[in-house]
Amino acid sequence: MKLGTRRSLMATTQSQMIADLYTAKTGQTIELVGITTFGDVTKAQLSQLGGTGVFVSALRDKLVEDEIDFAVHSLKDLPTKQDPRFTLAALPERHDVRDALVGRLKFADLAPGAKVGTGSPRRIAMLRALRQDLDYVPIRGNADTRIGKVASGELDAVVLASAGLTRIGRQAEISQIFEVEELLPAPGQGALAVECLSTRSDLVDFLSVLDDPRTRSAVTAERAVLSALEAGCSAPVGAFALDDGHTLNLTAAVVALDGREAVRKSAAGSPSEAMELGRDLAAAMIAEGADRLMGEHSH
């Protein structure tokens, strides 16, 4: 069975981890197939590329061409509108959702004017809300490249997803993990998505053995917020949901890019109504002016 993956260390590590889980559960051997995507080769800022989807389309092309059986994506890279040709057959148990600071100092101890790198408008807006006195530098490149900018002294710190750093064995370089109260994660952060063609029902069944219902309800609510706000990743939207088995608790925020204004709301409901919970919360945020905050930064 062939599993398509982007070629970066992060992607291949994630994909191998999923392949191993399937093999352990089913005995099926799985071969990784490396695929270069447009998002990996272009030098443009991700937010200029229309954000989500740039890493996804090449993998989906290979599914359509039958060169691979399934693909593993970081869920936050997937567009919120599901393409009917494909099915998210499994959303395996999610890892740490939080953002991490890589550097020598904790965030509060960075000197005024210190340079902090991140490729995400959401992280910049939310970090600015915490500290206006730092210099936030938009950067791109894989985790290694970004961490290297701290080692070389070009930057004082970078912010990356904690889950990814742990997956590639770089957690020793984390100086601080931001709690979700400080930095609300991107919708779907820390979750992986296993995708295959909708027409292959046998494969959908096979892959579904790794699906984690609590992860699915949580990320469904988070992504419903994003979808209802109609924000690509160019708009600073954070969302975090937790399904404890009875109740789904959801918090979302939209932050002005200068970090000076935010609309933040929470709601709780039944895990079976995750989509509605997310949509309703987004509507409540729009009623409080969330769209106005975002309108100022739309491309």
Side-chain angles (χ1 to χ4, degrees):
M1 220 182 232
K2 290 181 160 52
L3 162 50
T5 176
R6 286 168 55 199
R7 292 178 190 274
S8 72
L9 173 66
M10 185 86 72
T12 50
T13 305
Q14 287 176 178
S15 298
Q16 190 60 58
M17 199 173 72
I18 296 295
D20 293 345
L21 286 171
Y22 277 120
T23 302
K25 242 188 152 89
T26 67
Q28 174 74 47
T29 51
I30 289 164
E31 178 197 342
L32 256 58
V33 179
I35 291 159
T36 304
T37 75
F38 178 70
D40 293 317
V41 292
T42 175
K43 292 286 175 275
Q45 281 294 109
L46 272 184
S47 56
Q48 260 80 65
L49 289 174
T52 50
V54 292
F55 295 124
V56 172
S57 51
L59 292 173
R60 285 180 165 175
D61 289 345
K62 299 292 180 201
L63 285 171
V64 171
E65 292 156 16
D66 252 355
E67 290 188 29
I68 57 172
D69 295 297
F70 65 109
V72 173
H73 311 281
S74 285
L75 182 61
K76 65 180 172 113
D77 291 337
L78 278 182
T80 52
K81 190 172 165 29
Q82 185 57 27
D83 182 323
R85 294 176 302 166
F86 310 102
T87 295
L88 294 184
L91 295 169
E93 192 176 341
R94 182 186 211 172
H95 297 110
D96 192 348
V97 304
R98 297 171 299 174
D99 288 309
L101 189 73
V102 172
R104 281 172 284 280
L105 300 169
K106 293 204 174 338
F107 189 64
D109 300 332
L110 289 168
K115 289 183 158 48
V116 179
T118 166
S120 150
R122 171 190 61 85
R123 288 180 180 139
I124 292 174
M126 291 185 184
L127 291 164
R128 275 195 185 125
L130 298 174
R131 284 193 67 175
Q132 288 279 346
D133 63 337
L134 300 178
D135 180 12
Y136 299 105
V137 183
I139 55 169
R140 48 162 321 181
N142 60 35
D144 255 356
T145 308
R146 295 181 190 206
I147 296 168
K149 291 180 191 292
V150 178
S152 71
E154 184 186 332
L155 298 171
D156 296 292
V158 292
V159 180
L160 294 155
S162 163
L165 289 165
T166 304
R167 283 178 199 142
I168 61 168
R170 302 295 290 265
Q171 63 271 48
E173 287 151 277
I174 296 174
S175 59
Q176 177 179 346
I177 293 183
F178 292 98
E179 292 309 320
V180 291
E181 291 74 26
E182 305 172 282
L183 228 62
L184 206 54
Q189 185 158 309
L192 298 175
V194 179
E195 189 174 59
C196 68
L197 292 177
S198 302
T199 48
R200 296 189 60 182
S201 51
D202 57 319
L203 192 54
V204 174
D205 283 350
F206 169 82
L207 295 172
S208 71
V209 299
L210 284 192
D211 193 59
D212 179 60
R214 290 185 188 185
T215 296
R216 188 175 281 268
S217 59
V219 300
T220 297
E222 293 166 12
R223 285 166 59 79
V225 172
L226 185 62
S227 176
L229 290 169
E230 292 180 335
C233 71
S234 57
V237 177
F240 174 59
L242 197 57
D243 175 353
D244 65 9
H246 307 283
T247 308
L248 183 60
N249 287 291
L250 170 65
T251 299
V254 173
V255 185
L257 213 48
D258 63 9
R260 295 185 193 276
E261 267 189 285
V263 171
R264 185 186 179 101
K265 288 191 83 66
S266 296
S270 160
S272 63
E273 294 174 344
M275 185 82 78
E276 293 73 16
L277 188 69
R279 281 197 201 121
D280 291 350
L281 190 64
M285 291 168 75
I286 289 168
E288 287 192 17
D291 51 341
R292 183 182 52 78
L293 290 187
M294 290 169 47
E296 291 159 25
H297 312 298
S298 60
H299 295 307

